[in-house]
Amino acid sequence: MGFMKQHPRQAFLEKGLRRIAIAVCTGFVAACTYSVPSHAQTIRIEATTKSMDWNAVALAGGHVFVAGPRWSGFSGPAVGLLTKNGKMEPFPDADWNGWKPGRNATHRFVSVNALHVAPDGTLWVVDTGTPSFGGALVVGGAKLVRIDPATGHVLRIYPLDPKIAKAGSYIDDIRFNGMHAYLTDAGKAALIVLDIKTGQARRVLDNDASTRARTDRPIVMDGHVVESHPHQALLVNVDPLEVSPDGKWLYFGPLEGPWSQVPTTLLDDPNVSSTDLSAAVKPWADLPPIGGSAMDVAGNLYFTNLKDNGVYRRDVSGKITRLLSDSRLHWADAPCLAPDGRLWLPVAQLDRLPMFHQGQSRSHQPFLLVSIDAHITQSKDKP
């Protein structure tokens, strides 16, 4: 979840942050701060829940939004708005969050995997369209929903038809560049390029080596390989992605790494052949398995290292700095950089869900939504 560039909306955003600060004082967004022993970095608990396994957070319009996938098995809304009086309200309304098998999915969330704030301040919701992990897509379920965060008005729905969201697809995350949006398909290993004006989408780098997970890079947590089935390592195809601050490059990779880069001019041109586009892909960063990432306007990449429950920063020179490592950040997922420079992190604990442990949950309740100061360094270390 990327950092919003400073523009005339800054005063509006600052007012929103003041409203969030008021919420901190009134109770739901907890003001508890926990120090990491012997280090300057601290974790601030922003909210907790037992009804949603959140894996996405976005700050927009003076509000805090969270989301969690349906397949995690929790009762909370697909998209929630955190309120100052201790509640999590369905956003934009209850009907959008009221999908059940058999109900029309074109105007309801089936299973949300990502939230992201576009440069114009609108909130985008990525609906995978599949209610089960690795399961079949619901007709009309895979889509992007663009919403005014201040009013909850749905501005536009971008359906992803079966040629774009294929059987086995898992539409994962989104980033923006001018009039184009880029998405990752973590299920069928491809990038999706969306023309925001026309709504037309294309699959590119379909099953390319740069978008496929590698079997020699397992996800290791608590000293064990995370498995999708007994004796079968969980493999997640292209998942994280970021656009360079100048808009010239898209950085992307499987959850397990490594990351590649490709010129956005080639991505945006439908006349570029798949062969030429694949040939233009170059290595960018050999990062470990991560929960999620965010890039600021200077090009610093912030990412969560699954192996050590750590949060790291990679600067434009390639130097990697560990901001902190804490056991409470177990599978901290897609982070969001707030305008005040704090990095918000939903702690999903996805590997502890019952589906990965023969039906037995190992998650620690409640689930945490935390923030840290992205500028404070704990130590300098390559993950």
Side-chain angles (χ1 to χ4, degrees):
M1 310 238 165
F3 183 75
M4 293 179 286
K5 295 181 179 180
Q6 302 299 318
H7 46 61
R9 295 185 71 255
Q10 183 62 36
F12 173 72
L13 291 171
E14 288 175 353
K15 290 180 181 177
L17 287 174
R18 286 197 291 271
R19 288 198 289 271
I20 292 169
I22 293 171
V24 171
C25 297
T26 56
F28 182 73
V29 184
C32 303
T33 301
Y34 293 81
S35 296
V36 177
S38 303
H39 299 292
Q41 183 61 270
T42 60
I43 292 177
R44 189 167 74 199
I45 309 297
E46 302 289 358
T48 65
T49 185
K50 293 184 179 180
S51 65
M52 173 191 283
D53 185 0
W54 42 40
N55 70 337
V57 61
L59 279 66
H63 302 298
V64 179
F65 302 94
V66 290
R70 183 178 296 272
W71 52 260
S72 64
F74 289 82
S75 62
V79 179
L81 166 66
L82 302 187
T83 69
K84 62 183 180 181
N85 60 357
K87 295 182 179 181
M88 181 163 55
E89 297 178 349
F91 184 84
D93 57 37
D95 191 54
W96 265 98
N97 287 269
W99 180 84
K100 294 180 180 179
R103 299 194 74 182
N104 187 296
T106 58
H107 290 77
R108 297 183 179 94
F109 300 129
V110 176
S111 185
V112 172
N113 192 71
L115 304 174
H116 199 74
V117 180
D120 66 357
T122 56
L123 179 70
W124 287 62
V125 180
V126 179
D127 188 347
T128 67
T130 174
S132 59
F133 187 72
L137 277 74
V138 173
V139 175
K143 56 187 172 293
L144 309 172
V145 184
R146 181 172 174 248
I147 306 174
D148 182 332
T151 66
H153 177 62
V154 175
L155 301 171
R156 186 168 179 180
I157 301 170
Y158 292 84
L160 300 175
D161 66 40
K163 293 182 180 179
I164 301 300
K166 298 182 175 182
S169 284
Y170 192 88
I171 309 304
D172 192 274
D173 209 348
I174 188 170
R175 295 295 184 270
F176 300 92
N177 184 37
M179 291 307 297
H180 288 91
Y182 311 120
L183 298 104
T184 48
D185 185 344
K188 293 293 286 184
L191 296 178
I192 296 170
V193 180
L194 174 73
D195 185 310
I196 295 173
K197 184 177 181 179
T198 67
Q200 295 297 309
R202 296 179 290 114
R203 288 179 68 91
V204 299
L205 298 176
D206 210 335
N207 202 34
D208 190 78
S210 63
T211 59
R212 293 196 309 268
R214 287 170 36 178
T215 57
D216 62 334
R217 300 173 70 99
I219 304 168
V220 177
M221 303 190 73
D222 291 335
H224 302 283
V225 173
V226 178
E227 298 180 338
S228 57
H229 299 89
H231 313 296
Q232 183 176 331
L234 175 64
L235 298 177
V236 182
N237 294 315
V238 61
D239 179 341
L241 76 167
E242 300 292 345
V243 175
S244 63
D246 60 10
K248 293 182 178 180
W249 297 93
L250 179 72
Y251 309 122
F252 64 95
L255 180 149
E256 301 87 349
W259 287 46
S260 302
Q261 60 181 347
V262 66
T264 56
T265 53
L266 299 184
L267 283 177
D268 298 345
D269 187 349
N271 297 314
V272 174
S273 70
S274 58
T275 300
D276 289 345
L277 186 61
S278 180
V281 175
K282 304 298 180 186
W284 183 62
D286 189 7
L287 300 182
I290 73 169
S293 67
M295 181 170 279
D296 67 20
V297 293
N300 297 303
L301 180 77
Y302 300 87
F303 63 92
T304 61
N305 187 343
L306 294 180
K307 187 174 183 178
D308 70 355
N309 305 315
V311 182
Y312 288 76
R313 179 178 60 235
R314 180 191 186 274
D315 68 19
V316 291
S317 73
K319 184 177 75 171
I320 294 175
T321 302
R322 185 172 64 184
L323 302 182
L324 84 163
S325 180
D326 190 288
S327 61
R328 290 166 295 172
L329 302 183
H330 190 89
W331 202 304
D333 213 298
C336 171
L337 266 167
D340 65 352
R342 291 193 71 81
L343 189 70
W344 288 56
L345 301 140
V347 183
Q349 305 180 57
L350 292 180
D351 62 303
R352 292 173 172 167
L353 293 175
M355 68 182 62
F356 300 120
H357 297 284
Q358 294 75 56
Q360 300 297 315
S361 175
R362 298 187 179 181
S363 62
H364 299 174
Q365 296 290 335
F367 291 105
L368 304 179
L369 176 65
V370 308
S371 72
I372 65 171
D373 188 333
H375 303 101
I376 295 179
T377 300
Q378 179 186 23
S379 63
K380 296 182 179 180
D381 249 320
K382 185 171 182 178

